[in-house]
Amino acid sequence: MPELVQVDAGAACTPFLHDIKPLPEEQHAALLKKVDATPESLKRDVKILREWLAQQPHLPQLGEDFDPWLIRFLIGSKNSLQRAKEYLEKYCTSRAQRAELYTQGPSPGVENLFALIKSGVLPVTTPQGTRMVITKFTKEVGEDPSKMDWGIYFKLTVHMADVFLGSEGHPVDAEICMDLEHFTVALNNSFVANLSLFRQFVDTAQGSVPLHYKAVHLVNAPGIIKTVIAMVRPFLKDKLGERIIVHDTVESFHKCVDKACLPSDYGGQGKTLQQMCDDWHLIIHTNMPWILARQAKLAADESKRVGGKPRQDDFGVEGSFRKLAVD
């Protein structure tokens, strides 16, 4: 890995994105039009949002430097001030209630996971203005699932969402591609043993972060995938559950996406998945001081909340993200 650059851990927005590009000007304009916003209306509304935060003693008090980050909440909330307030409340409260989900620092387990799972981000947006993430389980972890730490995997995925959320001028819509060529019955059994952790993770991803998942592509899907989908669908919002697309082959995947955007080993014109994985590894490690500093800055202070604690059903089941030992 190249030598890491120093980043400002207190920066309002993601300080290092390597070669990941923001929305082109035309797509950014189309996004604002889609949510019925203008630069002027966003400037006005973000001031209202910041002033509202100042009146909530348990929520973070943010300066004008955080306006670009707050604008991400407005755009992700389809330009609804009320919905943006709800997202901020849930996001900051989730950080307080599930601190372990947001605070995974460097460790041998993290390095091991990067070797077992190839995950990368397409550096350019799709023609639809979405950000695509491709993840593939390696043959090694498919054959020996005892090496898999689902807790760390979910935490790193939350880090990914935080990096995207903090990326000014980038999409709020994402497409997920999971290459399941090596998703074996044994690996599925390992996943099932960690289903409660998955539920906490997906509750956070769906309810606390104003990013929208436009499609979940399951590529090279094995026969067992229908059982997996049936098992996880109750945890998903109806709209997301309807956006799961199963592809038996990569060629089937090509019918749903712009092939040119894909990695070269998926028939596209981009980097290889391994190169994208190395780039993402660099982005996560470079931004790690910033990612970890966000917890103290953005987590709700429940001791200052007026009117009692939030309802537990707003945040799903309780539990721990410590690695489970399964017989």
Side-chain angles (χ1 to χ4, degrees):
M1 184 189 301
E3 185 176 349
L4 302 184
V5 300
Q6 297 297 311
V7 299
D8 178 5
C13 293
T14 308
F16 179 77
L17 287 166
H18 193 40
D19 65 346
I20 296 181
K21 305 292 190 298
L23 283 166
E25 186 175 339
E26 322 81 70
Q27 288 189 346
H28 188 261
L31 174 59
L32 293 189
K33 183 178 181 180
K34 179 182 176 183
V35 300
D36 194 23
T38 65
E40 293 74 26
S41 71
L42 290 173
K43 185 176 181 180
R44 178 196 66 222
D45 289 348
V46 79
K47 184 174 183 290
I48 296 172
L49 198 56
R50 188 162 23 86
E51 290 172 349
W52 171 80
L53 278 172
Q55 297 169 7
Q56 314 303 314
H58 65 294
L59 295 182
Q61 309 302 296
L62 304 178
E64 290 184 22
D65 58 321
F66 267 80
D67 282 3
W69 185 73
L70 291 173
I71 284 174
R72 302 283 287 160
F73 277 81
L74 284 167
I75 294 176
S77 301
K78 300 181 180 178
N79 201 28
S80 165
L81 265 170
Q82 181 58 37
R83 196 176 298 167
K85 292 175 183 178
E86 292 169 358
Y87 264 122
L88 278 165
E89 171 67 52
K90 290 182 178 182
Y91 175 81
C92 297
T93 301
S94 174
R95 275 188 168 275
Q97 292 195 343
R98 295 176 175 163
E100 70 274 19
L101 187 55
Y102 295 88
T103 54
Q104 175 65 56
S107 72
V110 169
E111 297 307 310
N112 184 54
L113 200 76
F114 272 109
L116 294 174
I117 298 179
K118 303 304 178 185
S119 188
V121 180
L122 267 63
V124 296
T125 55
T126 68
Q128 293 74 37
T130 62
R131 177 72 68 203
M132 181 172 286
V133 178
I134 299 181
T135 297
K136 182 175 184 177
F137 298 98
T138 62
K139 185 177 181 180
E140 180 182 359
V141 75
E143 293 178 345
D144 186 1
S146 67
K147 297 179 179 179
M148 180 64 186
D149 189 321
W150 290 99
I152 290 181
Y153 173 65
F154 295 142
K155 292 173 188 178
L156 289 179
T157 306
V158 169
H159 286 353
M160 177 182 283
D162 250 357
V163 167
F164 289 162
L165 182 59
S167 302
E168 182 181 1
H170 286 246
V172 293
D173 292 341
E175 289 188 66
I176 310 300
C177 169
M178 302 288 296
D179 187 335
L180 302 177
E181 179 184 2
H182 302 301
F183 191 81
T184 60
V185 172
L187 186 56
N188 176 65
N189 292 341
S190 170
F191 171 72
V192 171
N194 289 272
L195 204 56
S196 64
L197 302 188
F198 172 79
R199 181 177 179 182
Q200 292 178 65
F201 157 71
V202 83
D203 282 347
T204 300
Q206 293 182 123
S208 306
V209 183
L211 300 174
H212 305 288
Y213 307 97
K214 309 305 286 186
V216 178
H217 301 279
L218 305 179
V219 180
N220 293 319
I224 195 175
I225 201 61
K226 291 182 180 178
T227 302
V228 177
I229 293 172
M231 185 168 44
V232 303
R233 196 183 291 276
F235 305 144
L236 306 179
K237 291 183 177 180
D238 290 344
K239 191 174 289 188
L240 182 57
E242 294 167 359
R243 291 173 176 172
I244 298 174
I245 307 170
V246 177
H247 304 279
D248 295 333
T249 63
V250 173
E251 289 70 30
S252 169
F253 180 42
H254 288 164
K255 296 177 182 178
C256 296
V257 298
D258 180 31
K259 182 178 175 180
C261 293
L262 297 177
S264 58
D265 38 349
Y266 285 81
Q269 298 174 10
K271 299 179 178 180
T272 65
L273 179 59
Q274 182 60 59
Q275 289 171 324
M276 288 170 48
C277 179
D278 293 341
D279 289 345
W280 185 247
H281 196 175
L282 176 64
I283 289 169
I284 286 292
H285 278 273
T286 301
N287 287 309
M288 192 62 79
W290 176 83
I291 290 169
L292 298 178
R294 305 293 271 181
Q295 184 63 13
K297 182 71 175 178
L298 298 175
D301 184 344
E302 295 297 344
S303 69
K304 296 180 180 179
R305 183 185 292 273
V306 177
K309 293 184 177 181
R311 298 176 304 166
Q312 177 59 38
D313 60 2
D314 283 340
F315 300 96
V317 296
E318 295 182 354
S320 170
F321 267 81
R322 296 184 181 91
K323 186 175 181 179
L324 299 182
V326 181
D327 293 331

